[in-house]
Amino acid sequence: MNIAAYCRVSTDKTDQLNSLETQKRFFDTFTRQNGHHLVRLYADEGISGTKIKNRRQFLQLMRDAQTGLFQMVVVKDISRFARNTVDFLQSIRTLKALGIETQFLTANMTSMGNSEFILTIFGALAQEESANTSKRIKFGKRLNAARGRVPNLVYGYDKLSRDCFSLAVNPAEAAIVRRIYSWYINDGRGTTVIANALNASGLRTKRGCPWTSSAVRRILINPLYTGTVVNGRQEVADFLTGRRQTNDASRWLVTQQPSLCVIPAADFERAQQILHTRGQAIQTKQTRHSGQHLFSTLIRCKICGRSFRRTVRTYKNTYVRWVCSGHNGHGADCCLSAVTVDESVLIGALQEYFLSLLRGKKNALQQIRGRLCRSLSAAVQADPGTRKRLLAALESCRRKKQKYMDLCVQDLITKEELDCQLTALRRDIQQLESEISRLPETASDPLEPESLVQSLFPTLESAADIRLMRNAQLKRIISRIEIGPDGTADVYLQSPAEGRLGNVIEI
């Protein structure tokens, strides 16, 4: 008789895999002793018996049964066949309908030779055994959580060998975690932009995978980086389906481990606020955060409320304009605003307005210069190795620039991603080169902060040049820019004291 054998182990631990090999040898011996022909042995490794959908080999067995590949299925024990009574009975009935016998060797039972009532009892016992195992696991996890058990694999830390309750900070990975928080909080970058930057730098996650938006977000919401270990947030509500439920915060088990702190609590809280704000913007305004360009998510349409989208057209000259994403993406049925805003005109209008504010305030630039002079003098006195530090920073920027160019040549990043990275690097390189050129050539040369500031800010125009700003910096000044159907722009400042600027720009 042509027979098929099925075996399964619930984990991929060494002792369980040894058990699987034992089962395989057992079926080889069984077929030889009984004169059967073993057509195929189906084996699921590291798979629970409570759910069929994850058991690929079992599903393949059921498909092969439809083709008449074998006349009998041999299983060592009912619990190996299934630990879910419903799945167990449905599978038995399907095989019986195809005329295929199922034999359970340990219990000396067959699907056709024994009543379904007896089979149901044995199937229920196998399910109850799985339920008891689930309870024991839950109990053990609660005990370990109370002792402050830490995750097995988390970026920024290394698990100490043979210690389930201790982690050690990985200095190199911790530095990357700090950089992620700085990008998110200070530079206004989104999780996708951060993930792309990490991948472009050749960095990988703890499991050696490319960075994704969700991977970055998991770092931003993990309180472990502040030295707070939280256990018991979720638990398995139904061991048969694997459905998990979120526990109330009062049931969480929180322990403090200051040695694991790599991020200040204030930075972590700030990240949570930004995450919440951006999430609310997506839900209520259908606006996703973006800091890729100077005016990203700052310009909004008065008619439909959507953000303006940046478009670039090249015909003899390159034209950069902003258009309503509703009208541009979905047509006039979505939004009637066909206004286009020239980026250079908008920048010029904003700069002129800020210059008028500076001119209207007496001694504004003198105050700025005075503060910078005092700061520069203190910095030079505290750090005699200024030139060395600036040269090292300049060399680092140049290496990064070359690396990004190489990645683009190898098609590892797009031209748009390259331009985004190089824009910031060119600005940093120019600033560093300017600072280095104004440093004294020798230690005996006097450093004159006043001359340095005068050269950096010779005019009001250079002090108000918003083209040198990043999106995050501009958002600290401007709350939003609303474009009307007639092309007028209302600019709203972040400062409550300034309030609304009104129709200061006519485009």
Side-chain angles (χ1 to χ4, degrees):
M1 178 185 296
N2 291 332
I3 68 170
Y6 178 76
C7 53
R8 177 188 62 81
V9 294
S10 56
T11 70
D12 55 3
K13 293 182 180 179
T14 303
D15 55 343
Q16 289 287 300
L17 294 180
N18 290 338
S19 173
L20 182 62
E21 292 299 323
T22 302
Q23 293 182 57
K24 292 179 179 179
R25 289 195 298 270
F26 171 82
F27 288 120
D28 288 336
T29 304
F30 173 81
T31 53
R32 287 196 303 269
Q33 291 178 350
N34 292 274
H36 298 307
H37 172 58
L38 183 61
V39 177
R40 181 173 175 179
L41 189 149
Y42 301 85
D44 282 312
E45 302 179 12
I47 302 296
S48 171
T50 57
K51 298 183 291 293
I52 284 182
K53 65 178 182 179
N54 297 329
R55 297 159 61 188
R56 297 181 179 179
Q57 287 291 295
F58 184 86
L59 294 174
Q60 185 62 49
L61 181 148
M62 300 302 292
R63 287 192 293 267
D64 290 344
Q66 301 283 345
T67 64
L69 186 62
F70 43 80
Q71 290 80 47
M72 184 171 66
V73 176
V74 179
V75 186
K76 189 175 182 180
D77 186 76
I78 289 178
S79 63
R80 300 301 92 197
F81 194 73
R83 285 189 178 272
N84 184 316
T85 306
V86 174
D87 291 342
F88 172 74
L89 290 176
Q90 287 179 344
S91 301
I92 290 295
R93 289 171 180 172
T94 299
L95 293 172
K96 286 177 66 175
L98 296 172
I100 298 175
E101 177 80 276
T102 306
Q103 184 174 3
F104 305 101
L105 301 178
T106 302
N108 194 24
M109 298 173 62
T110 61
S111 59
M112 294 184 180
N114 294 88
S115 67
E116 192 171 278
F117 174 73
I118 300 298
L119 292 174
T120 302
I121 292 177
F122 277 85
L125 289 173
Q127 177 175 308
E128 187 61 22
E129 182 183 349
S130 184
N132 291 332
T133 301
S134 177
K135 292 177 183 177
R136 290 194 296 271
I137 292 174
K138 284 184 179 179
F139 180 74
K141 285 186 174 181
R142 282 195 293 268
L143 288 179
N144 289 334
R147 296 173 58 187
R149 184 168 187 172
V150 293
N152 286 322
L153 202 64
V154 58
Y155 194 84
Y157 304 94
D158 294 324
K159 192 68 173 284
L160 299 182
S161 59
R162 298 183 180 180
D163 189 345
C164 298
F165 304 97
S166 298
L167 288 175
V169 175
N170 183 311
E173 294 179 355
I176 301 300
V177 171
R178 296 188 188 98
R179 188 188 306 175
I180 290 173
Y181 273 83
S182 177
W183 281 343
Y184 192 75
I185 297 172
N186 301 323
D187 294 353
R189 302 190 188 186
T191 54
T192 301
V193 174
I194 293 174
N196 291 338
L198 293 173
N199 289 328
S201 300
L203 297 173
R204 289 295 181 263
T205 65
K206 198 71 170 179
R207 298 184 183 275
C209 302
W211 286 90
T212 62
S213 174
S214 58
V216 173
R217 190 179 187 278
R218 283 195 294 271
I219 286 182
L220 293 172
I221 64 174
N222 192 346
L224 180 63
Y225 296 110
T226 64
T228 302
V229 181
V230 181
N231 285 299
R233 290 190 179 194
Q234 288 186 334
E235 66 178 7
V236 177
D238 188 345
F239 76 96
L240 290 176
T241 62
R243 180 178 61 85
R244 302 181 67 85
Q245 68 178 14
T246 300
N247 292 328
D248 186 79
S250 61
R251 297 182 59 189
W252 295 357
L253 296 171
V254 182
T255 55
Q256 298 294 332
Q257 296 192 23
S259 62
L260 300 181
C261 180
V262 297
I263 295 295
D267 288 353
F268 181 79
E269 292 301 325
R270 177 58 181 155
Q272 307 318 298
Q273 294 173 3
I274 296 174
L275 281 166
H276 177 73
T277 301
R278 293 179 182 177
Q280 289 292 104
I282 293 175
Q283 293 179 4
T284 60
K285 303 177 183 178
Q286 288 77 49
T287 301
R288 290 190 175 275
H289 169 78
S290 174
Q292 183 176 5
H293 306 292
L294 180 61
F295 293 108
S296 293
T297 67
L298 273 174
I299 308 176
R300 303 188 65 82
C301 177
K302 275 190 175 181
I303 297 179
C304 68
R306 287 180 168 85
S307 296
F308 269 49
R309 175 186 298 169
R310 189 175 188 263
T311 61
V312 180
R313 297 288 185 271
T314 301
Y315 179 73
K316 295 184 179 179
N317 296 315
T318 299
Y319 302 93
V320 179
R321 296 186 175 93
W322 292 80
V323 297
C324 173
S325 59
H327 181 87
N328 183 258
H330 306 285
D333 293 338
C334 178
C335 180
L336 296 175
S337 178
V339 175
T340 60
V341 179
D342 191 290
E343 185 175 87
S344 61
V345 174
L346 182 57
I347 289 175
L350 287 174
Q351 283 193 191
E352 182 59 33
Y353 175 77
F354 291 135
L355 282 172
S356 67
L357 291 180
L358 288 174
R359 294 191 186 104
K361 294 183 177 180
K362 295 182 179 180
N363 301 323
L365 193 58
Q366 284 74 9
Q367 294 178 9
I368 295 174
R369 285 172 174 168
R371 291 181 181 179
L372 283 175
C373 284
R374 290 191 293 271
S375 299
L376 286 172
S377 297
V380 171
Q381 292 173 3
D383 183 10
T386 301
R387 174 179 291 276
K388 183 177 180 180
R389 176 176 55 81
L390 291 177
L391 287 172
L394 178 62
E395 181 61 25
S396 176
C397 288
R398 287 172 174 170
R399 286 198 302 268
K400 289 180 181 179
K401 179 180 176 182
Q402 185 60 46
K403 184 175 183 179
Y404 285 126
M405 295 174 67
D406 293 341
L407 290 172
C408 184
V409 171
Q410 299 171 14
D411 291 332
L412 296 178
I413 60 174
T414 64
K415 183 64 166 59
E416 290 75 14
E417 291 172 334
L418 175 65
D419 293 339
C420 179
Q421 297 293 340
L422 292 188
T423 299
L425 284 173
R426 290 192 188 103
R427 181 168 55 247
D428 293 341
I429 290 173
Q430 290 176 358
Q431 182 177 350
L432 289 168
E433 289 176 340
S434 177
E435 293 182 27
I436 292 172
S437 66
R438 291 169 176 82
L439 288 176
E441 292 298 329
T442 65
S444 60
D445 292 335
L447 182 66
E448 299 180 358
E450 177 62 30
S451 300
L452 176 60
V453 173
Q454 290 286 356
S455 61
L456 288 175
F457 296 101
T459 62
L460 284 171
E461 283 77 6
S462 61
D465 192 353
I466 66 173
R467 290 171 296 184
L468 300 179
M469 295 184 182
R470 295 180 179 177
N471 179 262
Q473 295 171 321
L474 187 58
K475 284 179 179 176
R476 294 171 186 167
I477 303 173
I478 297 176
S479 171
R480 66 187 183 279
I481 303 172
E482 294 185 352
I483 305 296
D486 57 350
T488 58
D490 287 346
V491 182
Y492 294 82
L493 293 181
Q494 290 286 5
S495 172
E498 297 291 345
R500 174 184 172 185
L501 301 186
N503 296 329
V504 299
I505 305 170
E506 292 186 1
I507 302 174

